[in-house]
Amino acid sequence: MSEPLVLGIETSCDETGIGIVRGNTLLANVIASSVSQHAEFGGVVPEVASRAHLSAIIPALNEACSQAGIKLNDVDAIAVTHGPGLVGSLLVGVATAKGLAVSLNKPIYAVNHLAAHVSVDQIEHGEFTEPLIALLVSGGHSSVLKVGNIASDITPLGATLDDAAGEAFDKIARVLGLGFPGGPEIDALAKTGNKDAIEFPRGLSKSTDLARYPYDFSFSGLKTAVARWVQSNPSANLADVAASFQEAVVEVLVTKSMAACKDSGIETLLIGGGVAANSRLRQMAQEKATERGLQLRIPRAGLCTDNGAMVASLGASLLREGIQPSKLQFSVDSGLDVQEISDRV
Ligand code: KG4
Ligand code: ZN
């Protein structure tokens, strides 16, 4: 039997994403972003994002079907992000998905955005052999996860105590006078700077902190340190600041996620979420993984930031594992925990 054809709908933040997969094979991945409408505010404006989803979602759906060469009625199941994220934005995707499920009489899976960021690597590198450790780094979350089964078993081992990694990139970009979102801007500027120019603090990395918070992160001290440094060194080389800041974030992310691998005896590390697009993170993780004999899985940058293919990929995993579809009454949940992989109530 051929693998199931799954439509994925993602609208948790500022990207309207429609993806279509057949099993682990990507057939279409259409993304309409409202990022330019938020840039002048230095962050995503929820009302603006919801309205942009409303006007983008049907054209994106049509474009994805045409890219994949399918009709909507061909799909075996629909998967949609129902949390975590912005409530108004999530509602647009969920209402669209429910409308399609009813009119086409197809099963629907309400899925977790965070688990989808992990699942998507199956499109890039093939089906998982679990268990694996996942470092999930995005604009809203930074966690170390133990993935026993992508469809049914995710355990958080650590998380950020304050800012998410992406949030730290976005805030420091603002301090440096760069655009939004800040991650890609810092990544680009850092390439021309010296990462060893300034020794910024590595959060929760002293031995006393490590004993209590082995896999947790904190970026607020680093953020303050960078802001103070820039204030007291007005003629500083900003590329050096960007590179040194980036190094401090990346070093902690890589060190702590690899410690989780070592302590659990798990030999595969997966990195997902928007910050996984960062070139220095990818480079350092690859160097250290090779040194330690770990298998490293990071999807290509275009699959790391929010998209519909990741949602479709998780939907395909749920089908493969025989997980029951969601009941149509499911709602959106802005603070959905990562353990809640799909809504099965
Ligand atoms: O996963 P994502 O697209 O959306 C959320 O679920 O939050 O992640 C967005 C975050 C933003 O904070 C953005 O600055 C960051 O990912 N990001 C990066 C890079 N590309 C995106 N951070 C560092 N380096 C990058 N190249
Ligand atoms: Zn995301």
Side-chain angles (χ1 to χ4, degrees), residues 263-298:
D263 299 346
S264 61
I266 294 175
E267 290 177 348
T268 304
L269 174 64
L270 183 151
I271 308 184
V275 180
N278 183 267
S279 60
R280 178 62 184 141
L281 174 58
R282 300 172 80 94
Q283 182 192 35
M284 190 193 286
Q286 192 54 67
E287 280 166 18
K288 303 274 180 210
T290 306
E291 262 172 37
R292 293 170 195 212
L294 292 173
Q295 196 202 350
L296 181 68
R297 301 180 62 134
I298 316 180

PDB file of all heavy atoms in Angstrom, residues 263-298:
ATOM      1  N   ASP A 263      24.446  11.735  29.060  1.00  0.00           N
ATOM      2  CA  ASP A 263      23.868  11.251  30.315  1.00  0.00           C
ATOM      3  C   ASP A 263      22.797  10.184  30.089  1.00  0.00           C
ATOM      4  O   ASP A 263      22.585   9.331  30.939  1.00  0.00           O
ATOM      5  CB  ASP A 263      23.257  12.420  31.106  1.00  0.00           C
ATOM      6  CG  ASP A 263      24.321  13.468  31.465  1.00  0.00           C
ATOM      7  OD1 ASP A 263      25.525  13.155  31.339  1.00  0.00           O
ATOM      8  OD2 ASP A 263      23.941  14.592  31.859  1.00  0.00           O
ATOM      9  N   SER A 264      22.085  10.268  28.965  1.00  0.00           N
ATOM     10  CA  SER A 264      20.999   9.307  28.716  1.00  0.00           C
ATOM     11  C   SER A 264      21.465   8.124  27.883  1.00  0.00           C
ATOM     12  O   SER A 264      20.713   7.178  27.678  1.00  0.00           O
ATOM     13  CB  SER A 264      19.852  10.014  27.992  1.00  0.00           C
ATOM     14  OG  SER A 264      20.322  10.498  26.746  1.00  0.00           O
ATOM     15  N   GLY A 265      22.690   8.200  27.377  1.00  0.00           N
ATOM     16  CA  GLY A 265      23.200   7.118  26.527  1.00  0.00           C
ATOM     17  C   GLY A 265      22.551   7.106  25.147  1.00  0.00           C
ATOM     18  O   GLY A 265      22.620   6.123  24.422  1.00  0.00           O
ATOM     19  N   ILE A 266      21.905   8.204  24.773  1.00  0.00           N
ATOM     20  CA  ILE A 266      21.242   8.289  23.460  1.00  0.00           C
ATOM     21  C   ILE A 266      22.214   8.907  22.454  1.00  0.00           C
ATOM     22  O   ILE A 266      22.820   9.942  22.727  1.00  0.00           O
ATOM     23  CB  ILE A 266      19.936   9.108  23.571  1.00  0.00           C
ATOM     24  CG1 ILE A 266      18.939   8.346  24.449  1.00  0.00           C
ATOM     25  CG2 ILE A 266      19.347   9.396  22.191  1.00  0.00           C
ATOM     26  CD1 ILE A 266      17.645   9.073  24.743  1.00  0.00           C
ATOM     27  N   GLU A 267      22.351   8.262  21.299  1.00  0.00           N
ATOM     28  CA  GLU A 267      23.436   8.647  20.393  1.00  0.00           C
ATOM     29  C   GLU A 267      23.010   9.493  19.198  1.00  0.00           C
ATOM     30  O   GLU A 267      23.800   9.765  18.303  1.00  0.00           O
ATOM     31  CB  GLU A 267      24.178   7.394  19.927  1.00  0.00           C
ATOM     32  CG  GLU A 267      24.966   6.801  21.082  1.00  0.00           C
ATOM     33  CD  GLU A 267      25.673   5.515  20.744  1.00  0.00           C
ATOM     34  OE1 GLU A 267      25.388   4.928  19.673  1.00  0.00           O
ATOM     35  OE2 GLU A 267      26.504   5.094  21.557  1.00  0.00           O
ATOM     36  N   THR A 268      21.720   9.883  19.172  1.00  0.00           N
ATOM     37  CA  THR A 268      21.258  10.738  18.076  1.00  0.00           C
ATOM     38  C   THR A 268      20.769  12.060  18.644  1.00  0.00           C
ATOM     39  O   THR A 268      19.944  12.088  19.558  1.00  0.00           O
ATOM     40  CB  THR A 268      20.101  10.077  17.306  1.00  0.00           C
ATOM     41  OG1 THR A 268      20.526   8.797  16.861  1.00  0.00           O
ATOM     42  CG2 THR A 268      19.689  10.923  16.111  1.00  0.00           C
ATOM     43  N   LEU A 269      21.295  13.162  18.091  1.00  0.00           N
ATOM     44  CA  LEU A 269      20.835  14.500  18.478  1.00  0.00           C
ATOM     45  C   LEU A 269      20.183  15.140  17.263  1.00  0.00           C
ATOM     46  O   LEU A 269      20.760  15.169  16.179  1.00  0.00           O
ATOM     47  CB  LEU A 269      22.011  15.366  18.946  1.00  0.00           C
ATOM     48  CG  LEU A 269      21.665  16.836  19.232  1.00  0.00           C
ATOM     49  CD1 LEU A 269      20.690  16.963  20.401  1.00  0.00           C
ATOM     50  CD2 LEU A 269      22.929  17.653  19.521  1.00  0.00           C
ATOM     51  N   LEU A 270      18.965  15.637  17.477  1.00  0.00           N
ATOM     52  CA  LEU A 270      18.249  16.349  16.410  1.00  0.00           C
ATOM     53  C   LEU A 270      18.112  17.804  16.838  1.00  0.00           C
ATOM     54  O   LEU A 270      17.842  18.083  18.004  1.00  0.00           O
ATOM     55  CB  LEU A 270      16.872  15.717  16.236  1.00  0.00           C
ATOM     56  CG  LEU A 270      15.989  16.272  15.123  1.00  0.00           C
ATOM     57  CD1 LEU A 270      15.056  15.168  14.627  1.00  0.00           C
ATOM     58  CD2 LEU A 270      15.166  17.465  15.550  1.00  0.00           C
ATOM     59  N   ILE A 271      18.331  18.725  15.931  1.00  0.00           N
ATOM     60  CA  ILE A 271      18.124  20.140  16.252  1.00  0.00           C
ATOM     61  C   ILE A 271      17.031  20.680  15.339  1.00  0.00           C
ATOM     62  O   ILE A 271      17.079  20.508  14.117  1.00  0.00           O
ATOM     63  CB  ILE A 271      19.425  20.960  16.106  1.00  0.00           C
ATOM     64  CG1 ILE A 271      20.555  20.283  16.911  1.00  0.00           C
ATOM     65  CG2 ILE A 271      19.219  22.384  16.604  1.00  0.00           C
ATOM     66  CD1 ILE A 271      21.866  21.033  16.936  1.00  0.00           C
ATOM     67  N   GLY A 272      16.009  21.299  15.951  1.00  0.00           N
ATOM     68  CA  GLY A 272      14.881  21.817  15.165  1.00  0.00           C
ATOM     69  C   GLY A 272      14.423  23.172  15.660  1.00  0.00           C
ATOM     70  O   GLY A 272      14.861  23.650  16.711  1.00  0.00           O
ATOM     71  N   GLY A 273      13.527  23.806  14.897  1.00  0.00           N
ATOM     72  CA  GLY A 273      13.026  25.154  15.232  1.00  0.00           C
ATOM     73  C   GLY A 273      13.806  26.210  14.467  1.00  0.00           C
ATOM     74  O   GLY A 273      14.881  25.933  13.912  1.00  0.00           O
ATOM     75  N   GLY A 274      13.261  27.431  14.430  1.00  0.00           N
ATOM     76  CA  GLY A 274      13.836  28.502  13.616  1.00  0.00           C
ATOM     77  C   GLY A 274      15.313  28.755  13.837  1.00  0.00           C
ATOM     78  O   GLY A 274      16.066  28.992  12.881  1.00  0.00           O
ATOM     79  N   VAL A 275      15.775  28.675  15.090  1.00  0.00           N
ATOM     80  CA  VAL A 275      17.182  28.975  15.389  1.00  0.00           C
ATOM     81  C   VAL A 275      18.105  27.875  14.833  1.00  0.00           C
ATOM     82  O   VAL A 275      19.304  28.108  14.635  1.00  0.00           O
ATOM     83  CB  VAL A 275      17.383  29.194  16.905  1.00  0.00           C
ATOM     84  CG1 VAL A 275      18.820  29.517  17.253  1.00  0.00           C
ATOM     85  CG2 VAL A 275      16.464  30.317  17.411  1.00  0.00           C
ATOM     86  N   ALA A 276      17.547  26.708  14.540  1.00  0.00           N
ATOM     87  CA  ALA A 276      18.352  25.632  13.937  1.00  0.00           C
ATOM     88  C   ALA A 276      18.834  26.022  12.542  1.00  0.00           C
ATOM     89  O   ALA A 276      19.708  25.367  11.966  1.00  0.00           O
ATOM     90  CB  ALA A 276      17.551  24.333  13.886  1.00  0.00           C
ATOM     91  N   ALA A 277      18.269  27.099  12.000  1.00  0.00           N
ATOM     92  CA  ALA A 277      18.768  27.617  10.709  1.00  0.00           C
ATOM     93  C   ALA A 277      20.102  28.342  10.889  1.00  0.00           C
ATOM     94  O   ALA A 277      20.792  28.630   9.905  1.00  0.00           O
ATOM     95  CB  ALA A 277      17.742  28.574  10.104  1.00  0.00           C
ATOM     96  N   ASN A 278      20.485  28.634  12.126  1.00  0.00           N
ATOM     97  CA  ASN A 278      21.704  29.424  12.373  1.00  0.00           C
ATOM     98  C   ASN A 278      22.967  28.693  11.903  1.00  0.00           C
ATOM     99  O   ASN A 278      23.219  27.546  12.296  1.00  0.00           O
ATOM    100  CB  ASN A 278      21.799  29.743  13.870  1.00  0.00           C
ATOM    101  CG  ASN A 278      23.001  30.612  14.196  1.00  0.00           C
ATOM    102  OD1 ASN A 278      24.069  30.114  14.523  1.00  0.00           O
ATOM    103  ND2 ASN A 278      22.843  31.917  14.067  1.00  0.00           N
ATOM    104  N   SER A 279      23.777  29.376  11.125  1.00  0.00           N
ATOM    105  CA  SER A 279      24.916  28.692  10.493  1.00  0.00           C
ATOM    106  C   SER A 279      25.985  28.290  11.507  1.00  0.00           C
ATOM    107  O   SER A 279      26.582  27.226  11.404  1.00  0.00           O
ATOM    108  CB  SER A 279      25.520  29.561   9.393  1.00  0.00           C
ATOM    109  OG  SER A 279      25.974  30.777   9.934  1.00  0.00           O
ATOM    110  N   ARG A 280      26.206  29.115  12.517  1.00  0.00           N
ATOM    111  CA  ARG A 280      27.231  28.777  13.521  1.00  0.00           C
ATOM    112  C   ARG A 280      26.761  27.611  14.409  1.00  0.00           C
ATOM    113  O   ARG A 280      27.556  26.750  14.770  1.00  0.00           O
ATOM    114  CB  ARG A 280      27.560  30.017  14.369  1.00  0.00           C
ATOM    115  CG  ARG A 280      28.573  29.790  15.468  1.00  0.00           C
ATOM    116  CD  ARG A 280      29.945  29.359  14.937  1.00  0.00           C
ATOM    117  NE  ARG A 280      30.880  29.062  16.012  1.00  0.00           N
ATOM    118  CZ  ARG A 280      31.767  28.059  15.989  1.00  0.00           C
ATOM    119  NH1 ARG A 280      31.885  27.273  14.930  1.00  0.00           N
ATOM    120  NH2 ARG A 280      32.573  27.854  17.002  1.00  0.00           N
ATOM    121  N   LEU A 281      25.454  27.587  14.723  1.00  0.00           N
ATOM    122  CA  LEU A 281      24.915  26.466  15.501  1.00  0.00           C
ATOM    123  C   LEU A 281      25.091  25.164  14.716  1.00  0.00           C
ATOM    124  O   LEU A 281      25.539  24.147  15.261  1.00  0.00           O
ATOM    125  CB  LEU A 281      23.426  26.702  15.814  1.00  0.00           C
ATOM    126  CG  LEU A 281      22.671  25.556  16.494  1.00  0.00           C
ATOM    127  CD1 LEU A 281      23.309  25.160  17.827  1.00  0.00           C
ATOM    128  CD2 LEU A 281      21.195  25.920  16.728  1.00  0.00           C
ATOM    129  N   ARG A 282      24.792  25.205  13.451  1.00  0.00           N
ATOM    130  CA  ARG A 282      24.907  24.009  12.610  1.00  0.00           C
ATOM    131  C   ARG A 282      26.360  23.552  12.538  1.00  0.00           C
ATOM    132  O   ARG A 282      26.669  22.360  12.621  1.00  0.00           O
ATOM    133  CB  ARG A 282      24.365  24.289  11.199  1.00  0.00           C
ATOM    134  CG  ARG A 282      22.912  24.707  11.196  1.00  0.00           C
ATOM    135  CD  ARG A 282      22.451  25.160   9.822  1.00  0.00           C
ATOM    136  NE  ARG A 282      22.148  24.043   8.955  1.00  0.00           N
ATOM    137  CZ  ARG A 282      20.929  23.519   8.799  1.00  0.00           C
ATOM    138  NH1 ARG A 282      19.902  24.023   9.437  1.00  0.00           N
ATOM    139  NH2 ARG A 282      20.744  22.492   7.996  1.00  0.00           N
ATOM    140  N   GLN A 283      27.269  24.532  12.410  1.00  0.00           N
ATOM    141  CA  GLN A 283      28.693  24.203  12.274  1.00  0.00           C
ATOM    142  C   GLN A 283      29.253  23.612  13.573  1.00  0.00           C
ATOM    143  O   GLN A 283      29.896  22.561  13.570  1.00  0.00           O
ATOM    144  CB  GLN A 283      29.444  25.484  11.912  1.00  0.00           C
ATOM    145  CG  GLN A 283      30.920  25.289  11.691  1.00  0.00           C
ATOM    146  CD  GLN A 283      31.655  26.628  11.625  1.00  0.00           C
ATOM    147  OE1 GLN A 283      31.294  27.590  12.323  1.00  0.00           O
ATOM    148  NE2 GLN A 283      32.676  26.691  10.797  1.00  0.00           N
ATOM    149  N   MET A 284      28.975  24.294  14.701  1.00  0.00           N
ATOM    150  CA  MET A 284      29.536  23.806  15.972  1.00  0.00           C
ATOM    151  C   MET A 284      28.936  22.442  16.324  1.00  0.00           C
ATOM    152  O   MET A 284      29.642  21.546  16.792  1.00  0.00           O
ATOM    153  CB  MET A 284      29.290  24.798  17.104  1.00  0.00           C
ATOM    154  CG  MET A 284      30.053  24.431  18.361  1.00  0.00           C
ATOM    155  SD  MET A 284      29.542  25.336  19.828  1.00  0.00           S
ATOM    156  CE  MET A 284      30.220  26.948  19.540  1.00  0.00           C
ATOM    157  N   ALA A 285      27.619  22.281  16.105  1.00  0.00           N
ATOM    158  CA  ALA A 285      26.979  21.004  16.431  1.00  0.00           C
ATOM    159  C   ALA A 285      27.614  19.878  15.607  1.00  0.00           C
ATOM    160  O   ALA A 285      27.876  18.790  16.129  1.00  0.00           O
ATOM    161  CB  ALA A 285      25.483  21.088  16.169  1.00  0.00           C
ATOM    162  N   GLN A 286      27.898  20.152  14.326  1.00  0.00           N
ATOM    163  CA  GLN A 286      28.499  19.114  13.482  1.00  0.00           C
ATOM    164  C   GLN A 286      29.903  18.757  13.955  1.00  0.00           C
ATOM    165  O   GLN A 286      30.257  17.583  14.037  1.00  0.00           O
ATOM    166  CB  GLN A 286      28.511  19.568  12.009  1.00  0.00           C
ATOM    167  CG  GLN A 286      28.855  18.462  11.035  1.00  0.00           C
ATOM    168  CD  GLN A 286      27.947  17.229  11.191  1.00  0.00           C
ATOM    169  OE1 GLN A 286      26.757  17.284  10.912  1.00  0.00           O
ATOM    170  NE2 GLN A 286      28.496  16.104  11.672  1.00  0.00           N
ATOM    171  N   GLU A 287      30.697  19.784  14.303  1.00  0.00           N
ATOM    172  CA  GLU A 287      32.065  19.521  14.787  1.00  0.00           C
ATOM    173  C   GLU A 287      32.047  18.664  16.043  1.00  0.00           C
ATOM    174  O   GLU A 287      32.743  17.654  16.153  1.00  0.00           O
ATOM    175  CB  GLU A 287      32.763  20.846  15.119  1.00  0.00           C
ATOM    176  CG  GLU A 287      33.304  21.581  13.904  1.00  0.00           C
ATOM    177  CD  GLU A 287      33.685  23.036  14.231  1.00  0.00           C
ATOM    178  OE1 GLU A 287      33.850  23.377  15.439  1.00  0.00           O
ATOM    179  OE2 GLU A 287      33.791  23.809  13.271  1.00  0.00           O
ATOM    180  N   LYS A 288      31.229  19.062  17.010  1.00  0.00           N
ATOM    181  CA  LYS A 288      31.190  18.348  18.305  1.00  0.00           C
ATOM    182  C   LYS A 288      30.584  16.956  18.149  1.00  0.00           C
ATOM    183  O   LYS A 288      30.985  16.020  18.833  1.00  0.00           O
ATOM    184  CB  LYS A 288      30.374  19.135  19.339  1.00  0.00           C
ATOM    185  CG  LYS A 288      30.872  20.539  19.573  1.00  0.00           C
ATOM    186  CD  LYS A 288      31.965  20.577  20.620  1.00  0.00           C
ATOM    187  CE  LYS A 288      32.424  22.001  20.825  1.00  0.00           C
ATOM    188  NZ  LYS A 288      33.792  22.170  21.210  1.00  0.00           N
ATOM    189  N   ALA A 289      29.578  16.819  17.267  1.00  0.00           N
ATOM    190  CA  ALA A 289      28.958  15.509  17.077  1.00  0.00           C
ATOM    191  C   ALA A 289      29.982  14.535  16.488  1.00  0.00           C
ATOM    192  O   ALA A 289      30.067  13.382  16.909  1.00  0.00           O
ATOM    193  CB  ALA A 289      27.750  15.629  16.155  1.00  0.00           C
ATOM    194  N   THR A 290      30.776  15.035  15.547  1.00  0.00           N
ATOM    195  CA  THR A 290      31.802  14.183  14.943  1.00  0.00           C
ATOM    196  C   THR A 290      32.819  13.765  16.009  1.00  0.00           C
ATOM    197  O   THR A 290      33.182  12.589  16.118  1.00  0.00           O
ATOM    198  CB  THR A 290      32.488  14.930  13.777  1.00  0.00           C
ATOM    199  OG1 THR A 290      31.472  15.370  12.885  1.00  0.00           O
ATOM    200  CG2 THR A 290      33.467  14.062  13.038  1.00  0.00           C
ATOM    201  N   GLU A 291      33.265  14.745  16.819  1.00  0.00           N
ATOM    202  CA  GLU A 291      34.226  14.449  17.902  1.00  0.00           C
ATOM    203  C   GLU A 291      33.714  13.360  18.831  1.00  0.00           C
ATOM    204  O   GLU A 291      34.443  12.499  19.277  1.00  0.00           O
ATOM    205  CB  GLU A 291      34.393  15.702  18.780  1.00  0.00           C
ATOM    206  CG  GLU A 291      35.595  16.560  18.481  1.00  0.00           C
ATOM    207  CD  GLU A 291      35.518  17.870  19.287  1.00  0.00           C
ATOM    208  OE1 GLU A 291      35.057  17.852  20.448  1.00  0.00           O
ATOM    209  OE2 GLU A 291      35.918  18.909  18.720  1.00  0.00           O
ATOM    210  N   ARG A 292      32.417  13.432  19.154  1.00  0.00           N
ATOM    211  CA  ARG A 292      31.849  12.529  20.154  1.00  0.00           C
ATOM    212  C   ARG A 292      31.202  11.289  19.565  1.00  0.00           C
ATOM    213  O   ARG A 292      30.610  10.492  20.288  1.00  0.00           O
ATOM    214  CB  ARG A 292      30.788  13.274  20.969  1.00  0.00           C
ATOM    215  CG  ARG A 292      31.397  14.355  21.818  1.00  0.00           C
ATOM    216  CD  ARG A 292      30.346  15.231  22.417  1.00  0.00           C
ATOM    217  NE  ARG A 292      30.965  16.443  22.912  1.00  0.00           N
ATOM    218  CZ  ARG A 292      30.545  17.105  23.955  1.00  0.00           C
ATOM    219  NH1 ARG A 292      29.510  16.677  24.635  1.00  0.00           N
ATOM    220  NH2 ARG A 292      31.157  18.196  24.355  1.00  0.00           N
ATOM    221  N   GLY A 293      31.208  11.156  18.268  1.00  0.00           N
ATOM    222  CA  GLY A 293      30.604   9.981  17.631  1.00  0.00           C
ATOM    223  C   GLY A 293      29.089   9.975  17.721  1.00  0.00           C
ATOM    224  O   GLY A 293      28.464   8.906  17.744  1.00  0.00           O
ATOM    225  N   LEU A 294      28.472  11.160  17.787  1.00  0.00           N
ATOM    226  CA  LEU A 294      27.008  11.229  17.817  1.00  0.00           C
ATOM    227  C   LEU A 294      26.478  11.378  16.405  1.00  0.00           C
ATOM    228  O   LEU A 294      27.132  11.977  15.546  1.00  0.00           O
ATOM    229  CB  LEU A 294      26.548  12.458  18.622  1.00  0.00           C
ATOM    230  CG  LEU A 294      26.796  12.466  20.123  1.00  0.00           C
ATOM    231  CD1 LEU A 294      26.420  13.826  20.696  1.00  0.00           C
ATOM    232  CD2 LEU A 294      26.003  11.353  20.811  1.00  0.00           C
ATOM    233  N   GLN A 295      25.269  10.848  16.182  1.00  0.00           N
ATOM    234  CA  GLN A 295      24.603  11.086  14.907  1.00  0.00           C
ATOM    235  C   GLN A 295      23.835  12.396  15.031  1.00  0.00           C
ATOM    236  O   GLN A 295      23.098  12.597  15.996  1.00  0.00           O
ATOM    237  CB  GLN A 295      23.628   9.935  14.615  1.00  0.00           C
ATOM    238  CG  GLN A 295      23.205   9.927  13.171  1.00  0.00           C
ATOM    239  CD  GLN A 295      21.888   9.192  12.942  1.00  0.00           C
ATOM    240  OE1 GLN A 295      21.358   8.531  13.824  1.00  0.00           O
ATOM    241  NE2 GLN A 295      21.373   9.318  11.737  1.00  0.00           N
ATOM    242  N   LEU A 296      24.049  13.307  14.091  1.00  0.00           N
ATOM    243  CA  LEU A 296      23.389  14.612  14.154  1.00  0.00           C
ATOM    244  C   LEU A 296      22.382  14.735  13.028  1.00  0.00           C
ATOM    245  O   LEU A 296      22.681  14.435  11.882  1.00  0.00           O
ATOM    246  CB  LEU A 296      24.440  15.724  14.032  1.00  0.00           C
ATOM    247  CG  LEU A 296      23.909  17.152  14.114  1.00  0.00           C
ATOM    248  CD1 LEU A 296      23.394  17.467  15.510  1.00  0.00           C
ATOM    249  CD2 LEU A 296      24.995  18.154  13.719  1.00  0.00           C
ATOM    250  N   ARG A 297      21.161  15.175  13.376  1.00  0.00           N
ATOM    251  CA  ARG A 297      20.128  15.392  12.359  1.00  0.00           C
ATOM    252  C   ARG A 297      19.652  16.836  12.457  1.00  0.00           C
ATOM    253  O   ARG A 297      19.123  17.235  13.488  1.00  0.00           O
ATOM    254  CB  ARG A 297      18.935  14.456  12.596  1.00  0.00           C
ATOM    255  CG  ARG A 297      19.280  12.981  12.564  1.00  0.00           C
ATOM    256  CD  ARG A 297      18.047  12.110  12.806  1.00  0.00           C
ATOM    257  NE  ARG A 297      17.027  12.272  11.795  1.00  0.00           N
ATOM    258  CZ  ARG A 297      16.378  11.251  11.211  1.00  0.00           C
ATOM    259  NH1 ARG A 297      16.671   9.997  11.505  1.00  0.00           N
ATOM    260  NH2 ARG A 297      15.435  11.483  10.322  1.00  0.00           N
ATOM    261  N   ILE A 298      19.879  17.632  11.437  1.00  0.00           N
ATOM    262  CA  ILE A 298      19.325  18.995  11.375  1.00  0.00           C
ATOM    263  C   ILE A 298      18.709  19.162   9.996  1.00  0.00           C
ATOM    264  O   ILE A 298      19.397  18.991   8.987  1.00  0.00           O
ATOM    265  CB  ILE A 298      20.383  20.108  11.555  1.00  0.00           C
ATOM    266  CG1 ILE A 298      21.356  19.799  12.696  1.00  0.00           C
ATOM    267  CG2 ILE A 298      19.709  21.460  11.786  1.00  0.00           C
ATOM    268  CD1 ILE A 298      22.426  20.886  12.903  1.00  0.00           C
TER     269      ILE A 298
END
